[in-house]
Amino acid sequence: MKSRPAGQLLRPLACALAVAGLPLVLNLATPAASKASLAPGGIRTSKAPADADTPVARPPDRPANVPWVLRADRLVLHGSAFRGVVTVRTAAGSERVLKFTARSLDFGDLDLTAGRGRAAVRLRTKPATTSTVKGKDVVTLYTQKLSGTLVGLGGAPLPADRSVTVTPDALPPWLSHPAVPTRTITFENVTVSQVARLSGDMFIAGPSLSARP
């Protein structure tokens, strides 16, 4: 299926997401800028509400059995903190995941894939654009793996090897700092794999969608 501008994806988008097992509530804005509240098992896209503090949709209390992979040329976790390794329940059983909180997340050239095989849906943004995830208080991210090139650590010295892979069983020493509870961490060429949950409202610039990755 050929990618098309977001403004032309009303019915095809709903069908593709239904195939991937992702319920959709769609009230699409212009192709140039959309607002989506993302959580595994659901996408909600709409015009931004008049009251910016009002969330578009609440994330589900439990993760769904739909794998999510977020890729980006650049990921910035503003005011972030690593909250440790926690256990969440999924349809496949209990999973150990990394928990992060942040004031907001910025994804440069976002590339998001949900689902598996022929049921997968891929959403990509226009080149040289930044998509932002914001929450009413904080954004919470649960994921099994984060890999990429570390380029910013809130002003702290960077490790000698900046190519990093963080999993529940591989926690680098720079990940948390007892004297600095929150800081801005920046990655390039990043992949956030097996996203168990992502709370907040996502602002997407110029999305296009295809039914297969």
Side-chain angles (χ1 to χ4, degrees), residues 43-182:
I43 294 182
R44 189 182 184 100
T45 307
S46 72
K47 296 180 180 179
D51 181 1
D53 292 331
T54 302
V56 176
R58 295 178 61 86
D61 293 331
R62 294 180 59 189
N65 188 27
V66 178
W68 289 67
V69 178
L70 297 165
R71 298 180 179 88
D73 287 351
R74 187 175 182 87
L75 167 62
V76 184
L77 296 88
H78 296 279
S80 67
F82 175 59
R83 303 297 182 181
V85 177
V86 300
T87 300
V88 298
R89 290 189 300 167
T90 70
S94 297
E95 301 283 352
R96 295 170 65 243
V97 296
L98 307 163
K99 180 181 179 180
F100 295 89
T101 59
R103 185 174 68 253
S104 63
L105 306 178
D106 286 343
F107 292 93
D109 294 350
L110 176 68
D111 184 342
L112 185 154
T113 301
R116 298 184 180 90
R118 293 181 178 274
V121 175
R122 185 177 184 183
L123 183 148
R124 290 173 288 181
T125 61
K126 291 181 178 179
T129 59
T130 299
S131 301
T132 300
V133 182
K134 295 181 179 179
K136 186 174 183 180
D137 297 311
V138 296
V139 174
T140 304
L141 170 66
Y142 297 88
T143 183
Q144 291 182 351
K145 183 179 179 181
L146 188 154
S147 59
T149 302
L150 182 66
V151 298
L153 202 50
L158 294 170
D161 186 359
R162 300 183 187 181
S163 297
V164 300
T165 298
V166 185
T167 70
D169 297 313
L171 303 177
W174 53 262
L175 191 58
S176 59
H177 195 299
V180 185
T182 62

Side-chain angles (χ1 to χ4, degrees), residues 3-27:
S3 297
R4 284 169 285 176
Q8 301 176 12
L9 285 170
L10 288 174
R11 290 186 180 179
L13 176 60
C15 293
L17 289 173
V19 169
L22 302 177
L24 173 71
V25 181
L26 184 65
N27 180 15

